[in-house]
Amino acid sequence: MAFVVQKGERYEIRESRLTERGPRATTLATFRVLSDEVMGKAAARSTSPSFSEAAVRARAIELGAPVAAPAAHTAAQVLLGELSRGRRLAPAVEALLRSELGDPGPKVRDTLPEMVRWIGATDEDRGLALGDLLGLTDALPVPKKAQRG
């Protein structure tokens, strides 16, 4: 069983095992930010068949450790950003991607264009949109009931 402990500003992924001399813990990896690379190193060094990346990730989050987005998540964000800017995939790659993802269904399909725009948006884009939205709400008339206060 692997677990995460905090050591100051660093964290360790450890594995415990029972020996003739009692319980022992081995450090599988040390990190400041839990990434796919750190997780791979820990998994490779683990001798336990019950090593669980999901459990390690959950414990790291519970401790407040910085956790990097998985590489697939980051790649998907970049791809969606490119698609939202009108750039297209090669037809063969698009067909493979569609095959892997399957049909999202009509409810999701109808909202995909707007979702893609925001998934690929930068923090600056999101901040500007939020500022616009707050400005809009400030410009709305106050209902008469609320004015009496």
Side-chain angles (χ1 to χ4, degrees):
M1 171 81 177
F3 56 97
V4 179
V5 295
Q6 188 170 4
K7 293 285 192 178
E9 292 183 18
R10 295 179 342 164
Y11 300 84
E12 292 182 357
I13 301 173
R14 292 185 182 174
E15 183 174 75
S16 60
R17 64 188 186 294
L18 189 58
T19 69
E20 291 177 9
R21 296 180 11 204
R24 297 288 182 260
T26 303
T27 299
L28 303 176
T30 302
F31 64 94
R32 290 185 190 276
V33 176
L34 183 60
S35 64
D36 287 346
E37 182 182 336
V38 171
M39 196 69 81
K41 179 180 176 182
R45 294 189 68 197
S46 174
T47 58
S48 172
S50 65
F51 180 85
S52 166
E53 289 190 15
V56 170
R57 190 174 300 277
R59 178 65 178 146
I61 291 169
E62 185 180 303
L63 288 172
V67 177
H73 176 86
T74 305
Q77 277 189 307
V78 170
L79 174 60
L80 290 169
E82 291 295 307
L83 293 173
S84 73
R85 290 177 190 86
R87 297 182 182 108
R88 295 288 161 235
L89 296 171
V93 174
E94 183 177 343
L96 284 170
L97 190 57
R98 285 181 188 278
S99 170
E100 283 296 313
L101 294 176
D103 185 2
K107 217 174 188 184
V108 173
R109 201 177 315 118
D110 291 344
T111 59
L112 272 176
E114 282 302 309
M115 287 174 31
V116 167
R117 185 172 147 221
W118 290 109
I119 290 171
T122 65
D123 288 342
E124 184 179 348
D125 293 335
R126 292 171 193 268
L128 290 170
L130 178 59
D132 288 346
L133 182 60
L134 292 172
L136 173 67
T137 58
D138 284 345
L140 292 174
V142 178
K144 291 187 180 193
K145 274 187 175 180
Q147 288 178 351
R148 284 186 245 155

